[in-house]
Amino acid sequence: METQPNVTDDLLVELERLCVEFAVTAGALIRDERPGRVRVEATKSSDTDVVTVMDQRSEALLHRLVREHRPQDGILGEEGVDVAGTSGLTWVLDPIDGTVNYLYDIPAYAVSVAVVVGDARADGGWTPIAGAVCDPCRRLVHHARRGGGAWTRPERDAGTGHAESAALRVSTEDRLHRALLATGFGYDAEVRARQAEILRRVLPAVRDIRRIGSAALDLVRVADGSVDAYAESGINAWDLAAGWIIVEEAGGLVGGRVDRPGKALTVAAGPQLLERVRSLFLG
Ligand code: IPD
C-alpha cells in the first residue's frame, strides 16, 4: 500500500526551499559549463529526441542533492533516475527542459524540480505540492508550494527569502480570439502530423501561437500572464510537475482531456479561458 505522507505547512516551506535551491544549482551548472559545442550523447524516442552530456550531468547533480537532503523520498528523472522512496513523496526532475534549444544555444531552457504525491510513474496518478523552474539564461527562478502563492525572484536571492520576489498572476483574458497561446510538439513524426492537423483549427481561432521550446517555461509564462494559455499533448511528468503548481498558485487552472493534465492533453490558462482552449484542442 502507498504511504500517505503527512504534509505539514513546515514541510511544504522546506520542500519549496529545496526545490528552489536544487533548480538554481543545476541551472547554474548547465549555463556556466555549457560547452562551446554541445555533443549529442544519445537519442530516445526518435532521432530528434536528444540527450546531451549536460542533461546527464544536471540529472546526476539533482539526484545527489535530493539523496543528501531527502534520502527517504523517491526520485523520477527524465534521463532515467528512478528511485523508490519510503515517505510517499517523489521528486520529479527535468535536468534540462528545452534540450533542443540548449543544443542550438537558443536561450530558452530550464531546470524543473518538483515534489509530488501519488504515483509519479502513472499518467494522471500524482499531484505536485511544491516546485521550482530555474530559467538560467534570465537568471530567474519561479517557484510555488501548495497554498503559498507563486513567485519569481532573481536566482542570486535564491536562499534569502522573498526580498526581491514578485507574485505571479495569470492573465484575465477570456476571449479566445484575443488569446496568445503557447504550445509544443512531440518528437515522434506521427504525433507531430496529428498536432499539425490540430493547429490548422487552432491558429485561425486565436491571436497567435508561440512555440518557445520548453514546456516548463510555457507554464511559467501562463503563470505570469505573459501568454494567456498553453496546450500540448504528449508531455511527461517532468515537463509538467513544477509548472503545474506554479500555474495553480498563480490563480490558473491546469487540466487535461477530462480533468487532470497528462499525456492525452495538458491545458493551462486562467479560469475564464481554460474550457475554451480545451474545447478548441479537442475539436
Ligand atoms: C520538451 C520541451 C518542449 C515540448 C516537448 C518536451 P525536453 O522537453 O518541453 O517544449 O514541446 O513536448 O518533450 O525534451 O526539452 O526536456
Side-chain angles (χ1 to χ4, degrees):
M1 217 182 61
E2 208 170 275
T3 315
Q4 284 306 318
N6 177 22
V7 183
T8 61
D9 285 349
D10 285 352
L11 178 60
L12 283 171
V13 170
E14 174 65 359
L15 293 174
E16 183 185 24
R17 190 186 68 75
L18 291 175
C19 286
V20 168
E21 184 183 317
F22 299 168
V24 167
T25 305
L29 171 83
I30 63 172
R31 180 192 59 227
D32 299 344
E33 298 195 26
R34 183 182 181 282
R37 215 151 205 245
V38 179
R39 255 202 5 247
V40 173
E41 290 299 306
T43 58
K44 295 184 285 187
S45 60
S46 79
D47 272 2
T48 50
D49 186 2
V50 301
V51 183
T52 73
V53 70
M54 295 307 285
D55 290 270
Q56 294 166 335
R57 286 185 61 196
S58 176
E59 182 151 309
L61 171 63
L62 291 168
H63 182 188
R64 181 172 59 73
L65 290 169
V66 175
R67 297 302 283 167
E68 269 171 30
H69 292 82
R70 299 279 314 170
Q72 65 280 41
D73 298 345
I75 313 176
L76 180 67
E78 176 174 19
E79 307 312 338
V81 171
D82 191 346
V83 177
T86 54
S87 64
L89 299 175
T90 303
W91 291 76
V92 177
L93 310 173
D94 194 335
I96 304 181
D97 184 55
T99 306
V100 175
N101 285 343
Y102 189 73
L103 187 64
Y104 283 79
D105 204 11
I106 294 170
Y109 49 83
V111 176
S112 174
V113 175
V115 181
V116 313
V117 292
D119 182 357
R121 290 142 195 97
D123 193 37
W126 54 273
T127 316
I129 57 170
V133 173
C134 175
D135 180 343
C137 301
R138 296 173 71 205
R139 295 179 187 261
L140 293 175
V141 59
H142 317 280
H143 55 98
R145 64 173 187 274
R146 194 169 66 197
W151 304 89
T152 289
R153 66 170 103 150
E155 62 174 31
R156 67 187 147 75
D157 284 346
T160 59
H162 280 254
E164 286 188 51
S165 293
L168 304 184
R169 216 58 210 160
V170 295
S171 99
T172 53
E173 184 56 68
D174 60 355
R175 296 156 297 184
L176 207 46
H177 70 281
R178 298 283 289 266
L180 184 61
L181 177 92
T183 190
F185 310 114
Y187 289 110
D188 178 88
E190 271 177 43
V191 172
R192 283 187 173 184
R194 283 201 299 278
Q195 289 174 321
E197 280 308 309
I198 293 171
L199 269 193
R200 286 163 62 93
R201 181 171 67 239
V202 169
L203 199 44
V206 296
R207 182 191 290 276
D208 206 345
I209 65 152
R210 291 292 178 268
R211 196 296 191 245
I212 288 164
S214 158
L217 293 180
D218 290 332
L219 286 160
V220 164
R221 283 194 172 275
V222 173
D224 72 11
S226 60
V227 299
D228 299 300
Y230 161 74
E232 183 173 351
S233 57
I235 69 168
N236 293 296
W238 40 80
D239 304 312
L240 165 66
W244 175 358
I245 185 134
I246 293 171
V247 170
E248 284 193 342
E249 288 296 325
L253 297 174
V254 184
R257 188 175 285 280
V258 185
D259 53 355
R260 297 174 79 79
K263 286 257 181 202
L265 182 67
T266 292
V267 190
Q272 302 90 332
L273 201 57
L274 189 98
E275 275 318 316
R276 288 173 196 165
V277 176
R278 187 192 341 236
S279 308
L280 182 64
F281 267 71
L282 293 177

